[in-house]
Amino acid sequence: MSDSKPVFRPARVITEPEGYESIESGELDRIRYALIDGSRCLDDSWAMRHAWPLATHPDAGVRWAAVFAIDQARSGWVPLLCDDFEPVHLLCRLSSADPDLSVRRMAATTLGDVMSMLVFPRGE
């Protein structure tokens, strides 16, 4: 695993303004933890708005946290795939070509989760 993957710690509850401030700070650790914590406690739309652009960030730890957030928010975006498959293309690129192994693994896990939702939709 990459040394840039965020260190495990208990999840924290953050507000949207706190998450936005952390992302805008430019501080890698703050960005990483805002993505992780925000994807757990804020609306899926928050993660979708912030994680997608950061999935191609130069820092592997930020990319990993962005893909983690994308996975956490999948119930908010997977149902929209009939209209837009760009999210799947991005995850495919990250899972096969990202230079960081931990990012590739997180993207592959997310792709597996997405495929599971598509094959076995809730309520069927």
Side-chain angles (χ1 to χ4, degrees):
M1 287 264 185
S2 168
D3 291 337
S4 58
K5 180 180 172 188
V7 176
F8 176 78
R9 63 164 177 67
R12 296 186 181 147
V13 175
I14 63 170
T15 64
E16 285 192 30
E18 290 169 334
Y20 180 77
E21 180 182 313
S22 293
I23 288 172
E24 290 298 310
S25 74
E27 297 173 35
L28 298 179
D29 281 339
R30 288 185 67 193
I31 295 169
R32 293 171 188 155
Y33 288 119
L35 289 165
I36 292 167
D37 294 335
S39 69
R40 291 174 170 168
C41 69
L42 298 173
D43 189 71
D44 288 346
S45 63
W46 184 91
M48 292 167 58
R49 185 171 54 253
H50 296 288
W52 289 111
L54 292 170
T56 57
H57 191 276
D59 180 74
V62 171
R63 291 193 310 275
W64 186 94
V67 176
F68 176 89
I70 289 166
D71 190 33
Q72 293 294 302
R74 67 186 178 276
S75 64
W77 63 268
V78 170
L80 305 175
L81 285 177
C82 61
D83 298 324
D84 180 12
F85 265 87
E86 184 54 34
V88 171
H89 295 299
L90 172 63
L91 290 169
C92 286
R93 283 192 307 271
L94 290 171
S95 68
S96 64
D98 193 273
D100 187 87
L101 178 61
S102 65
V103 175
R104 290 193 308 270
R105 287 179 176 166
M106 189 68 236
T109 297
T110 302
L111 275 173
D113 292 341
V114 167
M115 294 304 122
S116 177
M117 286 181 70
L118 292 172
V119 173
F120 304 108
R122 282 191 232 182
E124 288 187 21

